[in-house]
Every structure is written in C-alpha cells, then in structure tokens.
C-alpha cells in the first residue's frame, strides 16, 4: 500500500530492480496482438488481502485475455510502484492513496490515472507498539514505517493527533518484511504497517491506533489502482476487461466468502480462516459503488476521492513531504471516471 518520493533520475535507474516485466516499447506500452489486444499486460501487485489477489489466484485475467501474456510482479510498497511507473516497467499497479497523491503531484507528475479502488483501508493497517500504552508514550522511541506510504502518512497523522511532532520520535524507513525482521530482533519499539506483517506484530505488540480510527478523524486512506495513461488510451477494451475481473472478485467476496478467503489465503500463505479475518478488515466496493459520489464518481461529477487526495496533499505539504499542493482539478483529472463508466455501462 504504500510509497516513496524519489528523484526522477533515481526512479529511472530503479527500473531493473523494480520489475521483472518484459516487452515494453519505447513508450512503455506493450505491442498489440490480434484484435488490438496487448501482447502483454504488466501488473504490479502487493500482498494485500483484497480482490486483486483473487483475480491473480483464479487466473481470471489470463482466461479473459487468452492472447495476452499477463506478467505479475510483486512490490512491497506503493513507492516502488511509482518508481516502476516512472521507469515504464508496469502498466497497472497498486499503490496507496498517499503515494498516488505524490504521483499526481509535482515533482513526480506521473502520467497515470486511478480507475479502481481496491479497498478502503481499515483495521488492516495500524500502529503497533511493544511497550507503550498510547501514542504519546512513543516519544523518544524508534518507530518504523515504509516512507511515503499510506502507513507513513497515517503515522504522521497519529503523531499529530497525539500532540507529537515527527522529530519527537525516531522514524525509520523499512519495508514490511524488514519491519517484521527488525521487530523480531528487538531493533524497533513500534511500527505502522499493514497485513500480513501486521498480523505477526499484533501477536506480541499492542495496537495503539488503526487507519480506521484515523479515517473517522478525516484521515482516510485507500489502496488504489493506477493505470498508465497511454495504456488506458491504447487498450481501452483490455482495461475494461481488467475492471470487470476486479468487480467479479468483490462480488465473490460477498457471495462466497469461503472461496474468496481460500484464494487470498493461497496467495498470502495463510489459513483461509485467517485470510477471511484480514479481508473483513478492509472495505471492498463494487464497480457501481465506486462510481458513486463518495468515491471515483462520474465524468460529469468527479467523486470525493479527488478531494481526499488533495487533502492528503495538504497534509503532506504541512509535514514538508510535498513542495506544493496541486489544484483540485489535478486530482479530478487523475480519476479514470470515463473508463470506469464504460466498463459498467448498462
């Protein structure tokens, strides 16, 4: 979920390390196959218990696009997804609302749009401490989070809400797998991270605040899909197919929770019962719900997600994490409302 502000040169140099996808053209879009379908779709996914893992596990996209190679590349954070997008090595990816805010803002200005909300983050992302009963008690402690991620954003919001400045704690930049290792060694006192690593930390630590708690205070976060502008323009039918499979996954969660949990469990190497619990910590929305005013909205009336992203930018600017705050229209134009409408028309 999740996300890193990196100078453009470093982003481009990170291409080889950030994706195993192949076959990109100079413009960063895979060549056409029969009927105008892409020969390859390069997808950046994360280990988050939402519908994307169901689509991957069930191979629905491969079945729907038999003439297209689907390349799935795992990322540990949305910051790395932004890096891969800038480098041109993926076509569709998952990133949290904080990194997407950065991606749509200067200096990154990544040419991508949001066609889908994978989930609204709830209790699956939280601040866990080893020996602290409140956020205030973290003063002077070492706290880990993946920098520029939704978790990092939420950590800063939690500190501010508790009357602490970022400088009151030692914030350490670690990806979730490294957080788990550092926790096991006793190198950190607390961490803000997401499942499945969060589940391991909760076994021995105390949850101080969750992203659901922060959302109730106006600091909502979400895991968003981002699609390269050129891919969306060149392959609109393939994007509609991708959206249809994501919608299908959400409906499977609602109609057959056992099957959905089994699919997610296989991808996360979890028992289906535990996978089901983690799914329940997220809010999943189907296509029609996403086109509503509270989320992506329509081409005529962009939804509240645009304002949420701008509010995130304002907060990040107040924390000196962004040089400036874009106009609301930047975020409205960053929502792929036409593509969403076309996918679920009728």
């Amino acid at each position: 979920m999740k996300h890193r502000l990196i100078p453009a040169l470093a982003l481009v140099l990170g291409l080889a390390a950030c994706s195993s996808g192949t076959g990109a053209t100079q413009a960063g879009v895979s060549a056409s196959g029969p009927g105008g379908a892409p020969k390859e779709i390069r997808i950046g996914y994360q280990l988050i218990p939402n519908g994307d893992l169901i689509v991957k596990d069930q191979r629905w996209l491969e079945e729907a696009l038999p003439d297209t190679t689907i390349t799935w590349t795992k990322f540990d954070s949305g910051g790395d997804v932004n890096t891969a997008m800038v480098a041109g090595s993926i076509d569709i990816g998952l990133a949290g609302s904080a990194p997407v805010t950065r991606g749509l803002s200067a200096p990154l200005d990544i040419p991508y749009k949001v066609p889908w909300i994978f989930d609204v983050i709830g209790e699956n992302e939280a601040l866990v401490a080893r020996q602290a009963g409140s956020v205030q008690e973290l003063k002077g402690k070492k706290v880990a989070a993946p920098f520029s991620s939704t978790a990092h954003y939420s950590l800063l919001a939690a500190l501010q809400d508790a009357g602490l400045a970022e400088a009151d704690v030692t914030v350490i930049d670690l990806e979730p797998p490294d957080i788990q290792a550092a926790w096991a060694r006793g190198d950190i006192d607390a961490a803000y991270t997401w499942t499945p690593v969060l589940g391991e930390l909760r076994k021995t630590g105390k949850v101080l605040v969750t992203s659901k708690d922060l959302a109730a205070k106006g600091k909502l976060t979400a895991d968003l899909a981002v699609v390269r502008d050129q891919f969306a323009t060149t392959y609109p039918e393939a994007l509609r197919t991708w959206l249809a499979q994501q919608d299908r996954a959400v409906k499977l969660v609602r109609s057959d929770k056992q099957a959905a949990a089994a699919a997610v469990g296989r991808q996360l190497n979890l028992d289906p019962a535990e996978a089901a619990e983690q799914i329940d910590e997220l809010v999943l929305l189907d296509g029609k719900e996403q086109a509503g005013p509270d989320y992506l909205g329509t081409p005529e009336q962009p939804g509240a997600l645009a304002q949420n992203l701008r509010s995130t930018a304002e907060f990040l600017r107040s924390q000196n994490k962004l040089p400036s705050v874009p106009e609301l229209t930047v975020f409205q134009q960053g929502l792929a409302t036409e593509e969403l409408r076309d996918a679920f028309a009728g």
Side-chain angles (χ1 to χ4, degrees), residues 211-260:
S211 293
K212 180 179 180 179
D213 299 329
L214 293 171
K217 297 180 179 182
K219 295 296 189 294
L220 181 144
T221 51
D223 288 313
L224 308 176
V226 286
V227 60
R228 185 179 304 285
D229 287 348
Q230 189 175 2
F231 182 90
T233 300
T234 306
Y235 304 116
E237 185 174 345
L239 179 58
R240 286 194 292 270
T241 298
W242 181 89
L243 285 165
Q245 305 315 310
Q246 294 295 333
D247 184 65
R248 181 182 177 186
V250 172
K251 289 175 177 174
L252 180 67
V253 171
R254 296 175 178 178
S255 65
D256 192 344
K257 186 66 168 294
Q258 185 175 0

Side-chain angles (χ1 to χ4, degrees), residues 37-41 43 59-70 92 231 235 237-242 245:
K39 286 187 176 180
E40 181 183 26
I41 300 178
I43 299 174
R59 296 183 60 81
W60 287 342
L61 200 56
E62 287 83 350
E63 293 174 5
L65 297 169
D67 297 321
T68 298
T69 297
I70 310 299
I92 300 172
F231 182 90
Y235 304 116
E237 185 174 345
L239 179 58
R240 286 194 292 270
T241 298
W242 181 89
Q245 305 315 310

Side-chain angles (χ1 to χ4, degrees), residues 177-231:
D178 300 319
I179 286 176
Q180 185 172 342
W183 181 272
R185 293 191 304 266
D187 292 346
I188 55 176
D189 301 299
Y192 209 121
T193 189
W194 51 89
T195 53
V197 170
L198 175 61
E200 293 302 311
L201 271 57
R202 286 189 295 210
K203 293 177 181 178
T204 55
K206 176 182 174 61
V207 174
L208 302 183
V209 65
T210 71
S211 293
K212 180 179 180 179
D213 299 329
L214 293 171
K217 297 180 179 182
K219 295 296 189 294
L220 181 144
T221 51
D223 288 313
L224 308 176
V226 286
V227 60
R228 185 179 304 285
D229 287 348
Q230 189 175 2
F231 182 90

